[in-house]
Amino acid sequence: MDVLIGQLATGLSLGSILLLAALGLSLTFGQMGVINMAHGEFIMAGCYTAYVVQQLVSSAGVSLLISLLVGFIVGGAMGALLEVTLIRRMYNRPLDTLLVTFGVGLILQQVARDIFGAPAVNVIAPSWLSGGVEILGAVVPKTRIFILVLAVVCVAVLAIVLKVSPMGRRIRAVVQNRDLAETSGISSRKTDITTFFIGSGLAAVAGVALTLIGSTSPTIGQSYLIDAFLVVVVGGLGQIKGTVIAAFALGFLNSFIEYSTTASLAKVIVFVIIVIFLQVRPQGLFTVRTRSLA
Amino acid sequence: MRALLGRWQTWAGFGVAAVLLFAVAPAVLSDFRLSLLGKFLCFAIVAVGIGLAWGRGGMLVLGQGVFFGLGGYMMGMHLKIADAQLRGTSVPDFMQIAGVRALPAYWEPFASPAFTLLAIVLVPTVIAAVLGLGVFKRRVKGAYFAILSQALAAALAILLVGQTSVGGSNGLNNFRTFFGFALKDPANKRMLYFIAAGVLLVVVAVVRQLMYSRYGELLVAVRDGEERVRFLGYDPANIKVVAYTVAAFFASIAGALFAPIVGFIAPSQVGILPSIVFLIGVAIGGRTTLLGPVLGAIGVAWAQSLFSERFPSEWTYAQGLLFIVVVGFFPAGLAGLGALFKRIRRTKDAPVVLDPDPEPEAEKVGAAT
């Protein structure tokens, strides 16, 4: 029983991390069809933002809250810049976008390496997040609960913004039918930048959160990127609920397979399961039904 | 008449390439550099396959490191067992150090050279065919396929690092013999180079035949308008699977040659980064052409060997920039420059569209579902 609870807690925690990392992707990849391989580097930018803010602000608790905000803006600005300079020019070539943004990611990694050095750096977690909480006999670190709460908050805010705000309505309109949205007087260019800002900002928020549970190195983004992409692929395009369900499903799957085999074998098994899953639902869990082919 | 001329040109091209690879290069280059060129040729063999799958077939294969690694590891396991037998021990040296006394069961078949060679051909081919059928039959394509192929590379690299029975993150190295030939002997190193050069020529010839056959036409048709091909009564999935499998097969052979030529095979040759880096050369040379990928891959590998150690930081920036500039703004690669100049000369004031690879309708943003 303890083992089961422990694995459930691990899965929940892993799922929330995946969710945070994938939430921004599901906006930019899922909704705009743009594959941004530099998304992982935006996560990394969030990590280093937390590191830099902590060097400036001595109190760990205050620095965490500040860096969540600053991280969102830094990541968002980087994303918006990427959209304006490169991605905008290649909306009709999604596969080429993938490679171009991979190049951007390589450069950003090297920039981080040149500024902060290749060895990992650490961010001190605030004291009110040290220790753990006992849930049904299993001890769960408070940092992981914080990440879970943060993920839930991010999803809720994003869902509300998309649902009710004028900006959210514009984003959804462009996603559903770009031409018609433009005809109705919505500037798809401005909307694209907004979407990218939010998506990349969320990546950086995920990065800030990740500093609570591990150290930061220039390649940290890469290790989360593939998993985040798989979450979006399984979740399906264009809807947040798919991303949420897929993130937690993959989190639980990973933690239980890892428990019965090894961490490295679990990755391969999860991959096989995903390929099999795509046999049943090639479009992922949820999809916006259209009449377009394929 | 033109077909005849084309055939002559092809034969002449092969003749020149053969003379360069088999006569000029060994005469001009030192043993060390020849071996280095052999390594570049291995990358070129992978690039030919990528050119077929990506350039002609429109499938962004981001996981060729998987098949490269499979070939390399299987060859490496055989070489390690052969070395151990030569020394009279039951297990390879790195296992001895780790205190392993008996050969793991999955190593044992690789003691046989015939089994090893067969496995190098069959294992990656079967994996690629099964994965390809599973993915393409369900019409999973475009970015989804790219991400899956990349996830496979990530998973295999992580798996290999965790397996101490294949050397963990060090991989397999320190090979002494290659099917009985001592690798220390420069003559045998030369032989390995000749094998790589011969394989490259054969691989290029095979892809040329594929490109100019009816199958090649279909492959390009699938790239440019998959739905139309389907409506004409073909199954695009089968067409894609063949190209993907051929590319995987080439990558595996290249890996199997890479291991003895360079002297090691490790997870660092398998993961995401090496798998994507294979694409740079292909993109620079011209992904849709026959020789572009070959020359591009050799050029990039050569530049990497020149710069990556002396200027590691700058080299990474250069790699990133190459991706951005070439893929983003010159998708036709160097091969496209010739066509560009020709067109500029012909139509001085008309705008030049440089897009050899128009994405199929279905992959446009709005229709991504």
Side-chain angles (χ1 to χ4, degrees), chain B residues 73 94-95 107 160-161 163-172 267:
Chain B
Y73 267 95
F94 72 93
M95 284 191 195
W107 272 69
L160 287 172
V161 169
Q163 300 299 309
T164 47
S165 59
V166 283
S169 56
N170 292 330
L172 303 173

Side-chain angles (χ1 to χ4, degrees), chain A residues 32 35 37 91-94 96 99-100 102-103 110-111 114 226 229 237 264-265 271 278-279 282-283 290 294, chain B residues 54 134 138 141 143-144 147-148 150 152 158-159 227 272 276 287 313 316-317 320 327-328 359 365 368-369:
Chain A
M32 295 165 78
I35 305 117
M37 292 289 288
Y91 266 125
N92 293 332
R93 293 157 43 198
D96 287 353
L99 289 175
V100 167
F102 179 80
Q110 191 58 38
V111 168
D114 286 347
I226 299 294
F229 265 125
L237 292 169
S264 54
L265 202 57
F271 174 79
L278 288 177
Q279 299 301 300
Q283 311 288 330
T290 65
Chain B
W54 179 38
R138 294 300 294 163
K141 56 190 167 190
Y144 276 37
I147 291 165
L148 283 179
Q150 194 173 32
L152 182 63
I158 294 171
L159 184 69
E227 296 306 332
I272 297 174
I276 294 194
R287 61 176 95 147
S313 164
T316 311
Y317 287 126
V327 179
E359 293 290 343
V365 186
T369 49

Side-chain angles (χ1 to χ4, degrees), chain A residues 75-270:
Chain A
M78 287 169 75
L81 189 67
L82 180 67
E83 204 277 337
V84 174
T85 50
L86 286 175
I87 291 174
R88 157 158 309 166
R89 296 164 203 281
M90 2 193 359
Y91 266 125
N92 293 332
R93 293 157 43 198
L95 295 184
D96 287 353
T97 316
L98 193 158
L99 289 175
V100 167
T101 49
F102 179 80
V104 174
L106 268 184
I107 292 175
L108 288 178
Q109 269 181 36
Q110 191 58 38
V111 168
R113 216 170 280 135
D114 286 347
I115 297 178
F116 299 101
V121 297
N122 279 302
V123 175
I124 303 154
S127 54
W128 45 271
L129 281 179
S130 64
V133 180
E134 207 181 288
I135 302 171
L136 294 172
V139 178
V140 184
K142 278 185 191 165
T143 47
R144 301 218 167 226
I145 295 177
F146 177 81
I147 292 178
L148 179 62
V149 172
L150 184 67
V152 171
V153 169
C154 284
V155 170
V157 171
L158 183 64
I160 292 171
V161 166
L162 284 181
K163 194 88 190 163
V164 301
S165 78
M167 185 180 75
R169 272 199 294 275
R170 281 199 295 273
I171 292 177
R172 282 187 295 141
V174 173
V175 166
Q176 279 173 18
N177 194 327
R178 183 170 289 263
D179 295 338
L180 202 55
E182 277 179 7
T183 322
S184 325
I186 296 171
S187 163
S188 66
R189 295 203 145 194
K190 277 186 196 158
T191 313
D192 286 344
I193 297 181
T194 319
T195 313
F196 239 86
F197 190 96
I198 298 175
S200 313
L202 283 172
V205 168
V208 174
L210 284 175
T211 58
L212 294 173
I213 54 168
S215 50
T216 301
S217 67
T219 51
I220 187 170
Q222 254 192 357
S223 48
Y224 286 98
L225 181 70
I226 299 294
D227 289 337
F229 265 125
L230 289 180
V231 167
V232 179
V233 167
V234 171
L237 292 169
Q239 285 185 33
I240 296 179
K241 67 178 174 190
T243 312
V244 175
I245 296 174
F248 285 112
L250 287 186
F252 286 128
L253 204 60
N254 237 315
S255 85
F256 277 96
I257 296 175
E258 225 168 87
Y259 177 72
S260 35
T261 59
T262 60
S264 54
L265 202 57
K267 290 260 178 204
V268 180
I269 296 175
V270 168

Side-chain angles (χ1 to χ4, degrees), chain B residues 94-164:
Chain B
F94 72 93
M95 284 191 195
Q96 237 175 358
I97 295 168
V100 180
R101 290 281 159 267
L103 212 56
Y106 74 97
W107 272 69
E108 265 160 25
F110 290 96
S112 144
F115 177 87
T116 308
L117 291 180
L118 203 64
I120 287 169
V121 172
L122 283 184
V123 172
T125 319
V126 169
I127 289 179
V130 169
L131 185 68
L133 280 175
V135 171
F136 296 130
K137 280 281 181 196
R138 294 300 294 163
R139 302 188 193 175
V140 174
K141 56 190 167 190
Y144 276 37
F145 170 74
I147 291 165
L148 283 179
S149 70
Q150 194 173 32
L152 182 63
L156 185 68
I158 294 171
L159 184 69
L160 287 172
V161 169
Q163 300 299 309
T164 47

